[in-house]
Amino acid sequence: MKFSDFVADDAIRATVVADSKEGVIREMTQSLVDAGKISAAEFESIVKAIMKREDLGSTGIGRGVAVPHTKHPSVDRLVGAVAVSPKGIQFESLDGEPVRLFFLLVSPPDRPGDHLRALENISRQLRDESFCKLLISAKGPAEIQHLLEEADVRGIVS
Amino acid sequence: MSIRGNGGENKTEQRQLDMSQETLSRKVVVGMRQGLHARPADLLAREARKWQSRIELIAESQRVDGKSILEVLTLAAEAGTRLVIEATGPDAQEALEAIGHLFERNFNEYENDNKQVF
């Protein structure tokens, strides 16, 4: 699965305002509402579900990356938002490091395979440290989108 | 599920020395309906890191470091996927038992409790 298969173009934020775990989750979920990918009426329910998942164990998977996520019956396909916090946010990550790069995923309850393949793609691409650095230092959403597109092309080649 | 050693079986002092690099392997099946997603991958990598041995997970065409959640997630192992866990080092057997146990217990995921949570 490629980034372009789940990342909503209009839900990419190069500089989040939030400085807390819940804050960044709210901001990213709102970006999905703004992008028309999830319904405003479901906003609180989705944020709550993502926070509930975080309570079971942080999705900060190391290297300054977190993948907050949930299943939610209001979506009929996997949708994702991308955000960068240049200064980093304490996310109780597995390696204790602050998180700068976020991929937030909301998927339909009956599609666990899609969710797995999105996680696969994210983790595979982020093994490339220079790719992480480029995303974190990107100047705006267009640059992030461009980097993700490049990674998609690279993914097909390799 | 069997634990199979590639090294010799006689319990001599020589074997003790060799054991530091002995590779043992164990077959497991991903039993969780949601597959090997972020939470079980985290539990697996955490368990693997407790041991000195090198731990690798092998799917059909892929071999990854079991101590890294990022690597484990790249397997995208869905329910029913067969994996081989390989451990190389002085505590290989204990490590395999501990990790195998996680798979046997489906990483403590019960359909009813966790229906809504990956």
Side-chain angles (χ1 to χ4, degrees):
Chain A
M1 180 177 287
K2 296 178 293 178
F3 285 120
S4 61
D5 291 330
F6 62 92
V7 175
D9 292 349
D10 298 332
I12 299 175
R13 299 289 182 267
T15 320
V16 290
V17 183
D19 58 3
S20 67
K21 182 184 245 191
E22 180 165 357
V24 71
I25 286 169
R26 286 186 165 274
E27 204 169 327
M28 294 181 78
T29 306
Q30 185 61 47
S31 75
L32 284 172
V33 173
D34 296 345
K37 297 295 176 186
I38 58 177
S39 136
E42 303 292 348
F43 174 83
E44 286 298 337
S45 159
I46 289 172
V47 167
K48 196 175 156 195
I50 294 172
M51 290 302 292
K52 190 176 156 198
R53 167 60 185 85
E54 290 296 327
D55 286 345
L56 293 171
S58 175
T59 60
I61 54 181
R63 294 199 176 198
V65 179
V67 193
H69 59 257
T70 189
K71 288 182 264 187
H72 202 270
S74 68
V75 296
D76 54 14
R77 61 182 292 268
L78 174 61
V79 289
V82 179
V84 172
S85 165
K87 59 183 179 184
I89 292 175
Q90 283 305 330
F91 215 78
E92 299 141 77
S93 288
L94 308 183
D95 62 3
E97 295 295 315
V99 174
R100 292 190 163 77
L101 183 56
F102 300 86
F103 290 86
L104 182 141
L105 305 172
V106 184
S107 36
D110 57 345
R111 305 293 292 272
D114 286 354
H115 173 74
L116 274 184
R117 282 183 286 274
L119 284 179
E120 172 203 5
N121 180 56
I122 294 167
S123 41
R124 188 180 297 281
Q125 301 284 2
L126 297 182
R127 286 191 299 192
D128 178 351
E129 213 166 309
S130 61
F131 179 59
C132 288
K133 281 186 185 157
L134 285 170
L135 284 171
I136 288 165
S137 56
K139 297 286 175 280
E143 194 176 326
I144 293 176
Q145 195 185 337
H146 182 77
L147 287 164
L148 297 178
E149 277 169 13
E150 265 185 26
D152 281 346
V153 173
R154 210 171 47 219
I156 296 164
V157 175
S158 62
Chain B
M1 272 182 232
S2 64
I3 295 173
R4 174 169 52 84
N6 295 336
E9 291 301 314
N10 53 330
K11 287 179 178 143
T12 61
E13 201 178 318
Q14 183 59 42
R15 180 166 180 263
Q16 291 298 317
L17 291 172
D18 287 341
M19 270 185 72
S20 63
Q21 283 313 313
E22 191 173 21
T23 298
L24 301 174
S25 68
R26 176 170 182 163
K27 291 176 185 168
V28 293
V29 177
V30 176
M32 298 81 76
R33 215 177 54 166
Q34 309 294 345
L36 193 52
H37 57 93
R39 197 149 39 93
D42 174 28
L43 291 173
L44 197 163
R46 272 176 206 269
E47 183 60 48
R49 284 198 297 268
K50 287 182 192 166
W51 307 94
Q52 211 181 315
S53 298
R54 186 175 79 233
I55 314 281
E56 292 182 306
L57 267 68
I58 301 144
E60 272 177 25
S61 56
Q62 242 188 305
R63 174 184 284 267
V64 302
D65 178 2
K67 298 187 182 190
S68 156
I69 182 175
L70 276 176
E71 295 265 331
V72 173
L73 284 176
T74 64
L75 292 174
E78 292 192 54
T81 303
R82 291 168 191 280
L83 300 173
V84 174
I85 313 166
E86 252 184 37
T88 307
D91 49 12
Q93 184 157 349
E94 295 92 326
L96 280 187
E97 275 169 21
I99 295 168
H101 194 49
L102 287 175
F103 280 92
E104 283 165 12
R105 291 184 325 217
N106 279 340
F107 292 81
N108 291 335
E109 294 202 349
Y110 302 104
E111 300 297 336
N112 292 338
D113 290 353
N114 288 317
K115 236 176 201 163
Q116 290 307 315
V117 186
F118 278 123

